[in-house]
Amino acid sequence: MNKSGTLNQETVPATTKATKSYKSITDYSTEINGQHMKNSVLEIKRDGNLASLSIKIWLSPELREKMMDTESPVYFTFGDVMGSEKIAQLLVESPPVVPFDPSSTDGTYTLSQQIKLKEKLTSDEEKALFSPENYEFQLLNEDKLAVYTIIGLELSTIQQP
């Protein structure tokens, strides 16, 4: 403090960033379930040799808080339903995972990912590609390993008003 009773700049301690309660989403992945995360039907739209996958996800306030209090990044991706390779065989390459920011809204998120399609798909391949039941949604930890998976993307679990 100087003589006038005000603080000098050098006497004010620098604020430090508070440490996060969780290192990884893996720390609480067993608590993620249909009560804390709900989804809309997966929408699939084509634009030439690209397809856009889009889904609405709702997070409970408790899960959202935990995710915002997690040090490591959280990612998401769409992929083949476990045990199937229908979709993977129709893509030029595996799509990169997408970072998920739980602080971006109040609990409902529209998550999108683009996939690159092979050229000249048969009608059966196109039917498989545009069928939400052939996909699963995965939440991934910082190592890009799935910690939670939603299947049945042709069904909405979000309550409509």
Side-chain angles (χ1 to χ4, degrees):
M1 259 191 224
N2 63 21
K3 292 178 186 173
S4 66
T6 58
L7 292 174
N8 291 332
Q9 194 72 8
E10 59 270 10
T11 62
V12 177
T15 56
T16 57
K17 186 177 178 187
T19 58
K20 302 272 186 172
S21 298
Y22 303 97
K23 179 161 179 49
S24 169
I25 190 172
T26 305
D27 297 343
Y28 51 89
S29 63
T30 58
E31 299 174 38
I32 304 173
N33 57 44
Q35 185 177 7
H36 294 287
M37 180 180 276
K38 300 189 183 299
N39 61 279
S40 68
V41 173
L42 175 66
E43 291 183 24
I44 307 163
K45 295 180 182 170
R46 185 174 188 168
D47 183 13
N49 279 1
L50 293 175
S52 178
L53 309 175
S54 182
I55 196 166
K56 285 189 176 162
I57 297 290
W58 171 86
L59 300 179
S60 69
E62 300 84 7
L63 179 57
R64 183 174 174 269
E65 275 300 313
K66 285 183 178 184
M67 291 176 81
M68 289 183 359
D69 200 18
T70 301
E71 188 177 312
S72 298
V74 176
Y75 301 96
F76 74 88
T77 192
F78 295 95
D80 276 299
V81 171
M82 187 186 290
S84 173
E85 291 188 15
K86 285 181 185 178
I87 303 304
Q89 294 174 354
L90 305 176
L91 304 181
V92 172
E93 61 191 17
S94 292
V97 299
V98 181
F100 178 67
D101 179 8
S103 65
S104 65
T105 186
D106 64 354
T108 302
Y109 307 82
T110 299
L111 306 179
S112 300
Q113 183 177 38
Q114 284 202 329
I115 54 177
K116 294 180 185 175
L117 312 177
K118 289 184 177 176
E119 293 186 32
K120 299 181 181 171
L121 299 174
T122 68
S123 61
D124 284 348
E125 289 171 333
E126 285 200 17
K127 184 178 177 188
L129 188 68
F130 293 98
S131 298
E133 63 268 13
N134 291 328
Y135 292 85
E136 65 183 25
F137 172 84
Q138 297 179 344
L139 268 183
L140 310 171
N141 66 13
E142 65 280 2
D143 296 322
K144 300 178 180 159
L145 300 173
V147 296
Y148 184 72
T149 301
I150 300 174
I151 58 172
L153 300 182
E154 72 278 12
L155 304 170
S156 177
T157 59
I158 293 177
Q159 307 307 341
Q160 301 299 325

